[in-house]
Amino acid sequence: MSATSQVPDQHGRFGDFGGRYVPETLVHALEQLDLAYREAIRDADFLKTLDGLLKDYVGRPSPLYFAERLTEACGGAQIYLKREDLNHTGAHKINNTVGQALLTKRMGKQRVIAETGAGQHGVATATACARFGFECIVYMGEEDIRRQSLNVFNMKRMGAEVRPVTTGSRTLRDAVNEAMRDWMSSVQDTHYILGSVVGPHPFPAMVRDFQAVIGRETITQAEASFGKLPDTVVACVGGGSNAAGMFYPFVDHSEVELVGVEAGGRSNLLGDHAAPLTYGQPGVLHGSLSYVMQDEDGQTADVHSISAGLDYPGVGPEHSYWKQTGRVNYTSCSDKEALDAHGKLAQLEGILAAVESSHAIAKAMQIATERSPEEKVVVCLSGRGDKDVFEIARLLEEEI
Amino acid sequence: MSAIDDLFGRLRAENQKAFIPFITAGDPNLAVTKAILEAFDAQGCHLAEIGLPYSDPIADGPTIQASYTRALADKIKVPDIFSMLSEVKSLSMPRVCMTSYSIVHRLGEQKFLEMSTTSGLAGAIIPDLPLEESPRFAGLCKEHDFSLIQLVTPMTPRDRALRIAENSSGFLYFVSVTGITGTRDSLPEDLLQNVAWMKEQTSLPVCVGFGISRPDHVRELRDVADGLIVGSGIVRHLESCDPANPEETIQKVSNYVGEMIAALK
């Protein structure tokens, strides 16, 4: 079976994966959301408003930048960076939140909830809610609040309420649980702006579509810059939204190699990484069937990554589909490799990447080294690293 | 005919309503769960729901979440739960389990059914397996004469509620509120009306759950519902259970269930 871009089907299936494994309370709301979304993307006015916001508010298109010194240092293929870090709020997350906020307005809802891990999606949601005048509540694990205090401050400054989540591992997975529980009671007047290509249908497809602007721009910019499509495209994968947005427009261009990089953490032992596509197996988590880290009973396993944004036991169902069909190669890189790449990019290019994106940079450097100078490797630099300074300094045992 | 069909046939003939308590398996350990199931039976409960703890229960409020966390902290495993259930096969009340589809999927639908039927369960409630995702598993359940109890909520449109009722077996679980499990002071005003409407549409017994925790809730609903399901009201008694001396907790649960059953009459 080869991969197609004509997914999901009407039940939200990407091949065997996806679906809608949620309590009955949410089913009708998800059906309404699916309907509203499908109507919106056929509405020229909606698309025009969205394009205007992406241009004037987010600052798109984001540049495709040739990383000359990084390329030289690797001594192989030419490395280009898709600069999602230069978007308003410093990451790709805003592409999705602006889209979903516009949809929230169209549905006549006034209250928004969201989950966040690294805080980038929380900030992007708080930003969009401030822009549209919505009440905004962000669920965030206590452990992540500790790791990402800067983003917490910024969310509050924009009028959002940040609710600490104290259950389970106190990270992204628990924040999703709490947001879903809130939505179980508030679904009539509240929209849940999910931040990644995970969750029940239609979220995986909708978030992918709002993020696909990354890949579409990359195609146009690659043709303008070097007259062809890239040979290889690399992106980091936690829930997988920047990767899905980057890869999706390339899916039917089978000559382009796609590489997804998961968080390899400390080791390949269960609990030491956050790489379900590399080490996990299919299971149900947060409303869809996809690769997940579970124990033999189906209980979600603890995961680890230095990156709060990749510290998640599941992954979007379309990634599982791309893995199954072989369209995307999934691999992982360790905490240490990501930290090293973070330093290299800072010193060679003057770019401080998010620790999430540094996973993709690390793998792209390895790939570039093995390839000829005629080849072009594009990396999705999904976010900037300001939020990570304290955590990276702590890991490097340096005082700020 | 499953044991649940027999039960409701008998209750209807006697013009009686079912009291259905919920208990988490393994909180604080399986010996206590077993003793509580025996106490339920001794008090005259009609059907018991056994919760198989799951790490990420999105439909559950703080009381049941905390109970699941306590059970899982003790490294409880699904096969151990089924072993315990096999030891209470002689109880007169039928037993069903409630769990996440995550657990069923991981075990495999066929194996889950085999383990359930072997250990004497008459059915299952799988809240995160809605109508659209359930046809294959529902077919397997039917082959095993195993009830797959579906849920209807205040958010369910009426035409959808009819389709759910057609596809449910054993009984229909009518969720009283838009929200998660947990005790509540009062029940929604339109609940009685909605349950009455549902009962006119289906020959299946309609049992109401979520938020029911007091004898006055039971009195409010007993004339319209075929059965009442109580979860958090029971599970909260386990919060203070000393695993070494559980007798006091078991007695408290037993007394509470006794008061609730008394309110049915």
Side-chain angles (χ1 to χ4, degrees), chain A residues 299-319:
Chain A
Q299 310 293 352
T300 311
D302 286 336
V303 290
H304 160 83
S305 169
I306 47 164
S307 145
L310 303 182
D311 199 353
Y312 182 69
V315 67
E318 193 161 17
H319 287 290

PDB file of all heavy atoms in Angstrom, chain A residues 299-319:
ATOM      1  N   GLN A 299      -1.779   0.355  29.606  1.00  0.00           N
ATOM      2  CA  GLN A 299      -1.619   1.598  30.383  1.00  0.00           C
ATOM      3  C   GLN A 299      -0.546   2.441  29.706  1.00  0.00           C
ATOM      4  O   GLN A 299       0.489   1.916  29.295  1.00  0.00           O
ATOM      5  CB  GLN A 299      -1.184   1.306  31.829  1.00  0.00           C
ATOM      6  CG  GLN A 299      -2.023   0.259  32.550  1.00  0.00           C
ATOM      7  CD  GLN A 299      -3.450   0.703  32.823  1.00  0.00           C
ATOM      8  OE1 GLN A 299      -3.805   1.862  32.606  1.00  0.00           O
ATOM      9  NE2 GLN A 299      -4.281  -0.222  33.262  1.00  0.00           N
ATOM     10  N   THR A 300      -0.796   3.732  29.615  1.00  0.00           N
ATOM     11  CA  THR A 300       0.167   4.618  28.982  1.00  0.00           C
ATOM     12  C   THR A 300       1.456   4.633  29.796  1.00  0.00           C
ATOM     13  O   THR A 300       1.429   4.771  31.017  1.00  0.00           O
ATOM     14  CB  THR A 300      -0.405   6.045  28.884  1.00  0.00           C
ATOM     15  OG1 THR A 300      -1.719   5.947  28.332  1.00  0.00           O
ATOM     16  CG2 THR A 300       0.453   6.923  28.004  1.00  0.00           C
ATOM     17  N   ALA A 301       2.584   4.485  29.106  1.00  0.00           N
ATOM     18  CA  ALA A 301       3.872   4.443  29.798  1.00  0.00           C
ATOM     19  C   ALA A 301       4.417   5.857  29.982  1.00  0.00           C
ATOM     20  O   ALA A 301       4.060   6.771  29.237  1.00  0.00           O
ATOM     21  CB  ALA A 301       4.860   3.614  28.986  1.00  0.00           C
ATOM     22  N   ASP A 302       5.266   6.025  30.964  1.00  0.00           N
ATOM     23  CA  ASP A 302       5.950   7.296  31.142  1.00  0.00           C
ATOM     24  C   ASP A 302       6.991   7.443  30.044  1.00  0.00           C
ATOM     25  O   ASP A 302       7.578   6.461  29.594  1.00  0.00           O
ATOM     26  CB  ASP A 302       6.633   7.361  32.513  1.00  0.00           C
ATOM     27  CG  ASP A 302       5.608   7.568  33.626  1.00  0.00           C
ATOM     28  OD1 ASP A 302       4.520   8.092  33.325  1.00  0.00           O
ATOM     29  OD2 ASP A 302       5.900   7.203  34.773  1.00  0.00           O
ATOM     30  N   VAL A 303       7.190   8.679  29.609  1.00  0.00           N
ATOM     31  CA  VAL A 303       8.198   8.946  28.592  1.00  0.00           C
ATOM     32  C   VAL A 303       9.123  10.043  29.089  1.00  0.00           C
ATOM     33  O   VAL A 303       8.822  10.715  30.077  1.00  0.00           O
ATOM     34  CB  VAL A 303       7.552   9.366  27.244  1.00  0.00           C
ATOM     35  CG1 VAL A 303       6.845   8.196  26.610  1.00  0.00           C
ATOM     36  CG2 VAL A 303       6.597  10.547  27.420  1.00  0.00           C
ATOM     37  N   HIS A 304      10.234  10.215  28.398  1.00  0.00           N
ATOM     38  CA  HIS A 304      11.176  11.255  28.786  1.00  0.00           C
ATOM     39  C   HIS A 304      11.782  11.931  27.561  1.00  0.00           C
ATOM     40  O   HIS A 304      12.133  11.280  26.584  1.00  0.00           O
ATOM     41  CB  HIS A 304      12.330  10.672  29.616  1.00  0.00           C
ATOM     42  CG  HIS A 304      13.534  11.580  29.610  1.00  0.00           C
ATOM     43  ND1 HIS A 304      13.647  12.655  30.456  1.00  0.00           N
ATOM     44  CD2 HIS A 304      14.625  11.620  28.804  1.00  0.00           C
ATOM     45  CE1 HIS A 304      14.780  13.309  30.181  1.00  0.00           C
ATOM     46  NE2 HIS A 304      15.388  12.703  29.185  1.00  0.00           N
ATOM     47  N   SER A 305      11.883  13.242  27.631  1.00  0.00           N
ATOM     48  CA  SER A 305      12.705  13.990  26.686  1.00  0.00           C
ATOM     49  C   SER A 305      13.128  15.281  27.368  1.00  0.00           C
ATOM     50  O   SER A 305      12.394  15.807  28.205  1.00  0.00           O
ATOM     51  CB  SER A 305      11.905  14.315  25.422  1.00  0.00           C
ATOM     52  OG  SER A 305      12.620  15.254  24.632  1.00  0.00           O
ATOM     53  N   ILE A 306      14.301  15.815  26.989  1.00  0.00           N
ATOM     54  CA  ILE A 306      14.669  17.139  27.508  1.00  0.00           C
ATOM     55  C   ILE A 306      13.736  18.196  26.961  1.00  0.00           C
ATOM     56  O   ILE A 306      13.654  19.291  27.478  1.00  0.00           O
ATOM     57  CB  ILE A 306      16.120  17.574  27.122  1.00  0.00           C
ATOM     58  CG1 ILE A 306      16.387  17.328  25.636  1.00  0.00           C
ATOM     59  CG2 ILE A 306      17.139  16.943  28.001  1.00  0.00           C
ATOM     60  CD1 ILE A 306      17.613  18.080  25.146  1.00  0.00           C
ATOM     61  N   SER A 307      13.045  17.843  25.894  1.00  0.00           N
ATOM     62  CA  SER A 307      12.163  18.806  25.252  1.00  0.00           C
ATOM     63  C   SER A 307      10.735  18.598  25.719  1.00  0.00           C
ATOM     64  O   SER A 307      10.138  17.560  25.471  1.00  0.00           O
ATOM     65  CB  SER A 307      12.269  18.608  23.748  1.00  0.00           C
ATOM     66  OG  SER A 307      11.024  18.843  23.157  1.00  0.00           O
ATOM     67  N   ALA A 308      10.170  19.610  26.392  1.00  0.00           N
ATOM     68  CA  ALA A 308       8.800  19.490  26.896  1.00  0.00           C
ATOM     69  C   ALA A 308       7.822  19.293  25.747  1.00  0.00           C
ATOM     70  O   ALA A 308       6.804  18.619  25.885  1.00  0.00           O
ATOM     71  CB  ALA A 308       8.422  20.723  27.705  1.00  0.00           C
ATOM     72  N   GLY A 309       8.128  19.857  24.585  1.00  0.00           N
ATOM     73  CA  GLY A 309       7.216  19.765  23.453  1.00  0.00           C
ATOM     74  C   GLY A 309       7.205  18.391  22.794  1.00  0.00           C
ATOM     75  O   GLY A 309       6.286  18.061  22.052  1.00  0.00           O
ATOM     76  N   LEU A 310       8.229  17.598  23.027  1.00  0.00           N
ATOM     77  CA  LEU A 310       8.275  16.240  22.451  1.00  0.00           C
ATOM     78  C   LEU A 310       7.983  15.179  23.507  1.00  0.00           C
ATOM     79  O   LEU A 310       7.926  13.989  23.201  1.00  0.00           O
ATOM     80  CB  LEU A 310       9.653  15.957  21.828  1.00  0.00           C
ATOM     81  CG  LEU A 310      10.139  16.916  20.733  1.00  0.00           C
ATOM     82  CD1 LEU A 310      11.500  16.468  20.193  1.00  0.00           C
ATOM     83  CD2 LEU A 310       9.148  17.044  19.599  1.00  0.00           C
ATOM     84  N   ASP A 311       7.787  15.609  24.744  1.00  0.00           N
ATOM     85  CA  ASP A 311       7.644  14.701  25.884  1.00  0.00           C
ATOM     86  C   ASP A 311       6.206  14.163  25.937  1.00  0.00           C
ATOM     87  O   ASP A 311       5.429  14.517  26.812  1.00  0.00           O
ATOM     88  CB  ASP A 311       7.982  15.482  27.163  1.00  0.00           C
ATOM     89  CG  ASP A 311       8.308  14.570  28.337  1.00  0.00           C
ATOM     90  OD1 ASP A 311       8.150  13.340  28.193  1.00  0.00           O
ATOM     91  OD2 ASP A 311       8.707  15.092  29.390  1.00  0.00           O
ATOM     92  N   TYR A 312       5.840  13.330  24.966  1.00  0.00           N
ATOM     93  CA  TYR A 312       4.459  12.876  24.799  1.00  0.00           C
ATOM     94  C   TYR A 312       4.487  11.416  24.342  1.00  0.00           C
ATOM     95  O   TYR A 312       5.243  11.066  23.444  1.00  0.00           O
ATOM     96  CB  TYR A 312       3.766  13.773  23.755  1.00  0.00           C
ATOM     97  CG  TYR A 312       2.318  13.452  23.506  1.00  0.00           C
ATOM     98  CD1 TYR A 312       1.356  13.700  24.478  1.00  0.00           C
ATOM     99  CD2 TYR A 312       1.908  12.897  22.295  1.00  0.00           C
ATOM    100  CE1 TYR A 312       0.021  13.405  24.244  1.00  0.00           C
ATOM    101  CE2 TYR A 312       0.572  12.606  22.052  1.00  0.00           C
ATOM    102  CZ  TYR A 312      -0.371  12.857  23.031  1.00  0.00           C
ATOM    103  OH  TYR A 312      -1.683  12.554  22.809  1.00  0.00           O
ATOM    104  N   PRO A 313       3.647  10.561  24.960  1.00  0.00           N
ATOM    105  CA  PRO A 313       3.723   9.115  24.666  1.00  0.00           C
ATOM    106  C   PRO A 313       3.045   8.707  23.359  1.00  0.00           C
ATOM    107  O   PRO A 313       3.184   7.560  22.930  1.00  0.00           O
ATOM    108  CB  PRO A 313       3.007   8.474  25.855  1.00  0.00           C
ATOM    109  CG  PRO A 313       2.094   9.535  26.366  1.00  0.00           C
ATOM    110  CD  PRO A 313       2.764  10.859  26.097  1.00  0.00           C
ATOM    111  N   GLY A 314       2.304   9.618  22.742  1.00  0.00           N
ATOM    112  CA  GLY A 314       1.605   9.270  21.503  1.00  0.00           C
ATOM    113  C   GLY A 314       2.112  10.087  20.337  1.00  0.00           C
ATOM    114  O   GLY A 314       3.068  10.860  20.457  1.00  0.00           O
ATOM    115  N   VAL A 315       1.440   9.920  19.185  1.00  0.00           N
ATOM    116  CA  VAL A 315       1.812  10.660  17.983  1.00  0.00           C
ATOM    117  C   VAL A 315       0.581  10.692  17.081  1.00  0.00           C
ATOM    118  O   VAL A 315      -0.302   9.837  17.194  1.00  0.00           O
ATOM    119  CB  VAL A 315       3.022   9.978  17.297  1.00  0.00           C
ATOM    120  CG1 VAL A 315       2.648   8.595  16.741  1.00  0.00           C
ATOM    121  CG2 VAL A 315       3.619  10.836  16.191  1.00  0.00           C
ATOM    122  N   GLY A 316       0.510  11.678  16.214  1.00  0.00           N
ATOM    123  CA  GLY A 316      -0.651  11.808  15.333  1.00  0.00           C
ATOM    124  C   GLY A 316      -0.848  10.585  14.452  1.00  0.00           C
ATOM    125  O   GLY A 316       0.119   9.988  13.984  1.00  0.00           O
ATOM    126  N   PRO A 317      -2.126  10.204  14.202  1.00  0.00           N
ATOM    127  CA  PRO A 317      -2.409   8.987  13.438  1.00  0.00           C
ATOM    128  C   PRO A 317      -1.904   9.011  11.993  1.00  0.00           C
ATOM    129  O   PRO A 317      -1.595   7.959  11.441  1.00  0.00           O
ATOM    130  CB  PRO A 317      -3.938   8.884  13.474  1.00  0.00           C
ATOM    131  CG  PRO A 317      -4.431  10.240  13.847  1.00  0.00           C
ATOM    132  CD  PRO A 317      -3.349  10.862  14.685  1.00  0.00           C
ATOM    133  N   GLU A 318      -1.791  10.208  11.401  1.00  0.00           N
ATOM    134  CA  GLU A 318      -1.303  10.248  10.016  1.00  0.00           C
ATOM    135  C   GLU A 318       0.179   9.846   9.962  1.00  0.00           C
ATOM    136  O   GLU A 318       0.631   9.261   8.982  1.00  0.00           O
ATOM    137  CB  GLU A 318      -1.513  11.639   9.412  1.00  0.00           C
ATOM    138  CG  GLU A 318      -1.324  11.638   7.899  1.00  0.00           C
ATOM    139  CD  GLU A 318      -1.954  12.840   7.207  1.00  0.00           C
ATOM    140  OE1 GLU A 318      -2.264  13.841   7.897  1.00  0.00           O
ATOM    141  OE2 GLU A 318      -2.145  12.777   5.980  1.00  0.00           O
ATOM    142  N   HIS A 319       0.911  10.142  11.029  1.00  0.00           N
ATOM    143  CA  HIS A 319       2.310   9.697  11.074  1.00  0.00           C
ATOM    144  C   HIS A 319       2.380   8.172  11.107  1.00  0.00           C
ATOM    145  O   HIS A 319       3.252   7.563  10.478  1.00  0.00           O
ATOM    146  CB  HIS A 319       3.037  10.301  12.277  1.00  0.00           C
ATOM    147  CG  HIS A 319       3.332  11.759  12.115  1.00  0.00           C
ATOM    148  ND1 HIS A 319       4.253  12.236  11.219  1.00  0.00           N
ATOM    149  CD2 HIS A 319       2.802  12.851  12.709  1.00  0.00           C
ATOM    150  CE1 HIS A 319       4.302  13.564  11.279  1.00  0.00           C
ATOM    151  NE2 HIS A 319       3.419  13.962  12.184  1.00  0.00           N
TER     152      HIS A 319
END
